[in-house]
């Protein structure tokens, strides 16, 4: 689940840029950004600590938008840095192919009307809104020139999307000639938002949500399929999809990224326009052989659910997939998984259930993935499995106005009717 080899290959308020609370490795309690009511996250990737951060380097980071809208902003992060990060210039344009941009699309981004920005260790900043409209389903290319850096870089290790880098300041260029280095990670950029009347959903998860075993550069992670469903759904008021998956991530303890409990505020609750959280984690806790029980894992789920409800978000709980055939599988772990899934289905702690286990398991051996959905390692779904997961979600379950979450948090009560 950690995929160390891939990890080795391996950023906006209106009118003024705003600083979030520091989010060092020891704390991830960033407050919700004071963005306009119509601001909605259209893309996100959870930050982690990467390798040594070089100076005098340009990154051309390719991301796929979900919601469309005006006033695009980026969020840049030095969450895991131990010294100031100076971004000398930043641009956003439309990718044509490779590192080449659509002619005339690359536009300069500013931070509190300044062309450059310095982020202190742990700091997160939003750019000023960019005039004009950004369409849903666009290949957006965000180009950052990092003038001064050092120590650990902040980024997302397993992007499953090719981005580009080069030495010197080439952020303003639309041609691709200077960008000779290909990257499998995103650096410093952790969110993009647009102004729109729609809401957003965040998928909080591990490598399955991060997309491992889906086809690279094709945007076939299950949150990508969900974004396309939402975009094509008449009358849907949820359009933004933010992927908060980290390969190898656990609910209870730090390791491959900060735990879901530790990073919840920064990676999920601080994103603008979020109505619903899909909570899909737990297999790494279970198969870690660290003594995790169903009681301890569901207690962790409850803490996440309570915090999301207190923030006015609804929570869809997703059942844990079977993984027999993976090297760490054993009957004891599978018994924990089944007990956890029964809790998700019947406890009433969540607002709705996405029963991924039921959708992807084999009818002949429910401890295994159905072969047609198996990516080959018996843990991660392939492209067909990713689509089946997204297709199984009731889009109505994502239409949360926030009132139910707050009401439940204040009352301290479970859902009126346990999901089935």
């Amino acid at each position: 689940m950690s995929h160390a080899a891939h990890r080795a290959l391996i950023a906006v308020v209106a009118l003024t840029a705003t600083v979030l609370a520091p989010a060092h490795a020891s704390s991830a309690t960033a407050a919700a950004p004071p963005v306009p009511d119509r601001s909605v996250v259209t893309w996100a990737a959870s930050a982690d600590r990467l390798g040594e951060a070089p100076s005098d380097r340009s990154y051309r980071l390719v991301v796929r938008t979900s919601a469309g809208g005006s006033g695009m902003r980026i969020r840049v992060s030095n969450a895991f840095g131990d010294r100031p990060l100076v971004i000398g210039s930043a641009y956003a344009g439309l990718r044509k192919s490779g590192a080449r941009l659509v002619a005339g699309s690359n536009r300069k981004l500013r931070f509190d009307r300044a062309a450059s920005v310095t982020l202190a260790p742990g700091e997160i900043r939003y750019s000023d809104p960019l005039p004009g409209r950004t369409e849903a389903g666009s290949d957006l290319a965000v180009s950052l020139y990092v003038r001064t850096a050092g120590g650990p870089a902040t980024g997302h290790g397993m992007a499953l999307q090719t981005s580009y880098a080069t030495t010197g300041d080439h952020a303003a260029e639309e041609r691709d000639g200077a960008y000779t280095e290909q990257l499998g990670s995103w650096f410093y950029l952790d969110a993009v938002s647009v102004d729109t009347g729609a809401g957003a959903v965040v998928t909080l998860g591990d490598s399955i949500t991060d997309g491992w075993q889906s086809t690279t550069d094709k945007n076939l992670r299950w949150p990508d399929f969900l974004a396309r469903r939402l975009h094509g759904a008449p009358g849907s008021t949820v359009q933004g999809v933010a992927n908060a998956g980290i390969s190898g991530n656990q609910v209870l303890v730090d390791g491959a990224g900060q735990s879901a409990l530790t990073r919840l505020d920064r990676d999920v609750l601080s994103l603008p326009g979020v109505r619903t959280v899909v909570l899909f984690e737990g297999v790494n806790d279970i198969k870690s052989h660290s003594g995790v029980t169903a009681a301890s894992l569901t207690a962790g789920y409850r803490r996440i659910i309570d915090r999301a409800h207190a923030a006015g978000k609804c929570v869809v709980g997703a059942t844990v997939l079977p993984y027999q055939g993976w090297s760490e599988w054993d009957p004891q772990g599978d018994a924990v998984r089944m007990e956890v899934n029964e809790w998700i289905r019947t406890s009433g702690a969540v607002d709705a259930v996405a029963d991924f286990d039921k959708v992807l398991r084999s009818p002949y051996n429910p401890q295994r993935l159905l072969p047609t959905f198996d990516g080959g390692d018996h843990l991660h779904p392939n492209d067909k499995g990713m689509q089946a997961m997204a297709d199984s979600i009731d889009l109505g379950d994502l239409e949360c106005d926030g009132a139910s979450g707050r009401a439940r948090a204040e009352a301290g009560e479970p859902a009126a009717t346990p999901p089935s």
Side-chain angles (χ1 to χ4, degrees), residues 318-407:
T319 52
V320 182
L321 296 180
Y323 62 101
Q324 188 181 62
W326 178 265
S327 61
E328 295 169 293
W329 184 91
D330 60 30
Q332 294 78 16
D334 200 61
V336 172
R337 181 186 69 87
M338 289 189 288
E339 187 176 348
V340 166
N341 283 349
E342 186 66 12
W343 182 91
I344 293 170
R345 294 181 182 113
T346 65
S347 69
V350 292
D351 300 278
V353 174
D355 202 341
F356 291 162
D357 168 50
K358 182 178 180 180
V359 171
L360 266 64
R361 72 192 183 203
S362 169
Y364 309 106
N365 181 356
Q367 296 171 321
R368 281 184 175 267
L369 291 173
L370 189 66
T372 193
F373 295 144
D374 193 336
D377 62 12
H378 313 301
L379 174 64
H380 301 90
N382 57 18
D383 295 345
K384 289 182 179 180
M386 294 285 181
Q387 183 171 8
M389 292 165 67
D391 287 350
S392 73
I393 293 177
D394 185 338
L395 299 186
D397 291 340
L398 308 181
E399 300 279 344
C400 178
D401 62 9
S404 60
R406 282 190 295 269

Side-chain angles (χ1 to χ4, degrees), residues 197-366:
V201 56
V202 182
T203 59
L204 176 60
D206 48 42
S207 62
I208 300 175
T209 297
D210 213 4
W212 181 243
Q213 294 292 12
S214 67
T215 304
T216 299
D217 287 333
K218 296 295 186 180
N219 297 296
L220 298 178
R221 314 162 190 87
W222 74 263
D224 298 323
F225 282 109
L226 180 60
R228 287 191 278 273
R229 280 193 68 203
L230 287 167
H231 183 63
S236 175
T237 66
V238 175
Q239 294 288 303
V241 177
N243 189 327
I246 295 181
S247 179
N249 201 228
Q250 297 186 49
V251 173
L252 302 176
V253 298
D254 295 351
Q258 295 174 320
S259 72
L261 282 163
T262 303
R263 66 190 182 92
L264 180 66
D265 289 336
R266 183 191 64 234
D267 290 356
V268 179
L269 301 183
S270 74
L271 296 173
V274 174
R275 295 184 186 174
T276 301
V277 180
V278 179
L279 173 58
F280 178 44
E281 287 218 41
V283 69
N284 290 317
D285 299 77
I286 293 169
K287 68 183 185 60
S288 66
H289 298 247
S290 61
V292 171
T293 64
S296 60
L297 186 52
T298 56
Y301 287 163
R302 280 196 180 275
R303 291 170 62 190
I304 292 172
I305 293 163
D306 288 347
R307 287 164 62 188
H309 282 161
K313 322 298 183 187
C314 292
V315 180
V316 175
T319 52
V320 182
L321 296 180
Y323 62 101
Q324 188 181 62
W326 178 265
S327 61
E328 295 169 293
W329 184 91
D330 60 30
Q332 294 78 16
D334 200 61
V336 172
R337 181 186 69 87
M338 289 189 288
E339 187 176 348
V340 166
N341 283 349
E342 186 66 12
W343 182 91
I344 293 170
R345 294 181 182 113
T346 65
S347 69
V350 292
D351 300 278
V353 174
D355 202 341
F356 291 162
D357 168 50
K358 182 178 180 180
V359 171
L360 266 64
R361 72 192 183 203
S362 169
Y364 309 106
N365 181 356

